[in-house]
Amino acid sequence: MRFVLMLPRIILGSLVLFAIGVMLYGVLMRYVVLPVTDWLNLDPPDFFWVEEVGEMALAWLTLLGAAIAVKERSHFALSLFVHRLPRGGQAVVHVAHNLIIAAFGGLTAWLGYQLVLLNITLTTPALEINMGWLYGCAVAGGILMLLYALDAARRPHDPDHSFADVRE
């Protein structure tokens, strides 16, 4: 069970490393190999797929990262007056805050699903990857945001809890 709970983080870390590798490959090909092949009058290497793969990795990174940030409560928060409310008021704000995030995650998942259905017949130009995979990140990230926010809403609010030191 612990592995299943760590799976989004593992996927996110793997995506970061993958995206860095793909982008470094693209830079190497564009600024080192391409000038050499031009100088030697050879056929240029085909590396234009890097943009598609990088775009897809970045989209998945963004949506999965946003969901994990909801779980870890590491999104930017500004507490101006909540700490001055009585404990009951703080609890109400805590639940309302997480329900709004859950609604946003549900909306993101729903609209992402609609985009998947709309673009499922399209493919990317270079690699011909189904565009549903690109928009599927909104579905996955939205569902995770929804689940993480609902989980946070059901947990009791700790008024002494600092947003900066949340690491479960």
Side-chain angles (χ1 to χ4, degrees):
M1 186 64 172
R2 187 169 224 186
F3 175 75
V4 172
L5 294 175
M6 289 295 294
L7 196 57
R9 286 184 187 176
I10 292 169
I11 292 171
L12 187 66
S14 300
L15 274 172
V16 168
L17 294 176
F18 177 72
I20 290 171
V22 166
M23 294 302 154
L24 284 175
Y25 175 79
V27 168
L28 177 73
M29 295 302 284
R30 176 167 286 146
Y31 295 108
V32 176
V33 175
L34 194 59
V36 170
T37 57
D38 284 345
W39 184 68
L40 294 174
N41 200 23
L42 297 173
D43 289 335
D46 185 18
F47 63 94
F48 297 102
W49 57 268
V50 169
E51 183 179 343
E52 286 180 8
V53 173
E55 177 182 303
M56 202 164 289
L58 183 61
W60 278 90
L61 274 168
T62 302
L63 273 296
L64 289 180
I68 291 170
V70 168
K71 179 180 182 355
E72 295 181 358
R73 294 178 59 187
S74 60
H75 280 287
F76 176 75
L78 187 60
S79 300
L80 292 176
F81 70 94
V82 177
H83 65 283
R84 295 176 190 234
L85 293 174
R87 268 186 157 345
Q90 290 180 17
V92 168
V93 170
H94 169 74
V95 170
H97 170 253
N98 284 297
L99 289 178
I100 290 169
I101 292 172
F104 177 78
L107 181 64
T108 301
W110 174 251
L111 293 176
Y113 176 70
Q114 296 298 317
L115 282 171
V116 167
L117 292 179
L118 184 66
N119 293 294
I120 201 143
T121 58
L122 302 176
T123 59
T124 60
L127 295 177
E128 297 184 6
I129 298 171
N130 188 312
M131 290 295 286
W133 284 105
L134 176 63
Y135 298 109
C137 66
V139 178
I143 290 171
L144 284 174
M145 276 187 242
L146 172 74
L147 294 175
Y148 290 154
L150 289 176
D151 181 53
R154 74 174 181 80
R155 292 182 185 197
H157 174 66
D158 180 8
D160 298 326
H161 181 77
S162 169
F163 283 100
D165 59 22
V166 177
R167 299 286 181 237
E168 293 180 18

